[in-house]
């Protein structure tokens, strides 16, 4: 089976805001990397030879309308001081840093439709939204964008997004304007508008709830959630398989990553808790299951019968799996 990862290297970095830095990722052998379609993301493994961290990052692409196809990928990482992965990246990623990268994956595609689009970004959620704005502008399709952050100075790519959107961009500074009214925002757009939203879970939930309150088709809101698999308070634990093997799951990795590294047979697709392919039966647990998927729902979480290997964890020390 072909390795899903290839050797990559950091080519350059530049600070965008106090907490957000852009990195250029290239193939270590110099092979040009193709421009990925809007909404695509890649998995990066880094942190020593074992690649103790695995994180997903959206591919931004050229940041200007005149930008030519680039032989590298752009990602932007927001530093969370209590987050092991992002803090490591900001500290250790410099030109020449080696890492492993996956091929592009896209579970957040733009639909080919004549209907107008509304792009909603919150904070670092701007990364896939910027690539979507560039794509829609290039296609000359109707779209508007809403970008929320604490204040403009802390919002990455706001000027670049403005260049793609023109008068169709609304910049919302929460520090002075408060929490945005998603019902009012969606109400200002025709019912057939296709909405794409990326940002904090609260923003996504508010958008989904607003669409439901307005009687909109649930499929009219497409979203992407980042970092559901990792939290600052995460602790390591062990997973025991049917054959008695025990696999260590570190604080900076997922059950799925640890099992794959140990050679266990697993199935996965989105690796973000959204598709359900990695759901696995739970035999026992000495603590509580910490569900982070968006597949099982409240009843499935309460039953404790399955767990999403790609994102969920436990609060105890040992998880027995039917695997």
């Amino acid at each position: 089976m072909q390795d899903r990862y290839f050797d990559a290297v950091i080519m350059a970095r530049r600070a965008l805001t106090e907490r957000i830095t852009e990195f250029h990722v290239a193939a270590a052998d110099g092979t040009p990397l193709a421009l990925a379609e809007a909404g695509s993301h890649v998995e990066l493994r880094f942190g020593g030879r074992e690649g103790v961290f695995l994180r997903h990052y959206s591919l931004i692409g050229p940041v200007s309308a005149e930008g030519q196809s680039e032989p590298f990928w752009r990602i932007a990482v927001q530093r969370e001081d209590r987050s092991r992965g992002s803090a490591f990246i900001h500290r250790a990623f410099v030109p020449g840093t080696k890492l492993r990268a996956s091929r592009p994956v896209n579970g957040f595609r733009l639909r080919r439709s004549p209907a107008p689009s509304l792009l909603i970004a919150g904070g670092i959620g701007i990364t896939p939204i910027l690539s979507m704005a560039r794509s829609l502008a290039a296609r000359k399709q109707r779209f508007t964008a809403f970008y929320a952050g604490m204040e403009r100075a802390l919002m990455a790519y706001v000027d670049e997004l403005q260049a793609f959107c023109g008068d169709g961009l609304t910049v919302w500074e929460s520090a002075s304007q408060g929490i945005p009214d998603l019902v009012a925002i969606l109400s200002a757009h025709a019912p057939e508008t296709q909405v794409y939203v990326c940002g904090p879970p609260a923003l996504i939930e508010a958008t989904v709830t607003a669409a439901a309150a307005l009687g909109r088709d649930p499929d009219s809101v497409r979203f992407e959630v980042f970092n559901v698999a990792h939290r600052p308070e995460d602790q390591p634990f062990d997973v025991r398989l049917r054959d008695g093997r025990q696999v260590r799951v570190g604080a900076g990795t997922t059950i799925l990553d640890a099992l794959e590294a140990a050679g266990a047979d697993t199935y996965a697709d989105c690796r973000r808790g959204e598709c359900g392919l990695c759901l696995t039966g739970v035999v026992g647990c000495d603590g509580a299951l910490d569900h982070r998927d968006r597949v099982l729902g409240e009843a499935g979480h309460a039953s404790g019968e399955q767990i999403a290997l790609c994102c969920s964890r436990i609060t105890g020390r040992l998880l027995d799996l039917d695997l």
Side-chain angles (χ1 to χ4, degrees):
M1 180 184 297
Q2 184 181 13
D3 192 344
R4 63 181 285 120
Y5 301 98
F6 63 91
D7 291 327
V9 63
I10 298 299
M11 282 184 58
R13 61 180 286 168
R14 71 180 178 110
L16 301 177
T17 71
E18 291 180 2
R19 293 174 54 206
I20 301 175
T21 298
E22 178 186 276
F23 297 90
H24 297 180
V25 181
D29 63 5
T31 303
L33 299 178
L35 177 65
E37 63 180 359
S40 295
H41 71 271
V42 292
E43 300 169 12
L44 300 183
R45 283 188 178 275
F46 53 92
R49 293 182 62 184
E50 297 80 12
V52 296
F53 295 112
L54 185 147
R55 296 292 187 268
H56 300 83
Y57 293 104
S58 291
L59 297 178
I60 299 164
V63 293
S64 70
E66 297 77 26
Q68 301 299 311
S69 180
E70 300 164 330
F72 56 84
W73 291 330
R74 292 175 188 262
I75 63 168
V77 181
Q78 178 168 281
R79 186 189 71 249
E80 303 292 350
D81 293 332
R82 294 182 60 214
S83 174
R84 300 171 180 89
S86 68
F88 181 94
I89 287 175
H90 276 252
R91 180 178 68 254
F93 275 23
V94 295
T97 298
K98 300 293 195 301
L99 64 155
R100 299 274 285 167
S102 75
R103 312 297 170 182
V105 179
N106 199 348
F108 194 37
R109 287 185 174 88
L110 283 169
R111 289 180 173 168
R112 296 283 180 174
S113 168
S117 297
L118 168 62
L119 309 179
I120 301 177
I124 195 61
I126 184 59
T127 50
I129 296 301
L130 183 65
S131 69
M132 289 180 166
R134 184 186 62 247
S135 180
L136 290 168
R139 296 186 213 167
K140 302 188 183 312
Q141 289 190 245
R142 293 174 296 158
F143 76 99
T144 55
F146 181 90
Y147 184 10
M150 287 302 294
E151 56 184 85
R152 190 181 181 105
L154 303 178
M155 299 164 69
Y157 300 118
V158 65
D159 292 332
E160 290 85 350
L161 185 62
Q162 184 82 66
F164 291 130
C165 301
D167 295 338
L169 172 65
T170 298
V171 177
W172 186 274
E173 297 181 271
S174 298
S176 59
Q177 296 177 274
I179 299 173
D181 184 343
L182 270 302
V183 171
I185 293 168
L186 264 60
S187 295
H189 294 77
E192 67 271 17
T193 299
Q194 180 65 55
V195 180
Y196 302 87
V197 55
C198 185
L203 175 67
I204 294 171
E205 293 297 338
T207 304
V208 172
T209 300
L214 294 170
R216 304 283 174 90
D217 183 345
D219 289 339
S220 69
V221 178
R222 305 198 71 190
F223 55 85
E224 186 167 51
V225 181
F226 281 92
N227 299 324
V228 294
H230 305 286
R231 294 174 184 166
E233 64 272 19
D234 288 343
Q235 297 296 319
F237 59 92
D238 291 311
V239 169
R240 185 161 57 198
L241 308 182
R242 285 198 304 256
D243 62 9
R245 280 186 296 163
Q246 287 196 191
V247 178
R248 189 67 164 173
V249 179
T253 189
T254 65
I255 300 173
L256 179 64
D257 298 331
L259 291 177
E260 286 182 340
D265 291 330
T266 58
Y267 296 95
D269 185 13
C270 75
R271 308 177 81 91
R272 294 185 171 207
E274 298 171 3
C275 73
L277 190 59
C278 71
L279 290 176
T280 301
V282 173
V283 177
C285 177
D286 68 352
L289 300 181
D290 182 2
H291 293 290
R292 302 180 184 182
D293 66 275
R294 304 182 69 88
V295 178
L296 288 171
E298 292 185 11
H301 291 166
S303 74
E305 295 177 355
Q306 292 181 301
I307 189 170
L309 302 182
C310 71
C311 63
S312 297
R313 304 180 70 84
I314 66 170
T315 59
R317 296 182 177 179
L318 181 63
L319 170 67
D320 282 288
L321 290 176
D322 185 17
L323 183 68

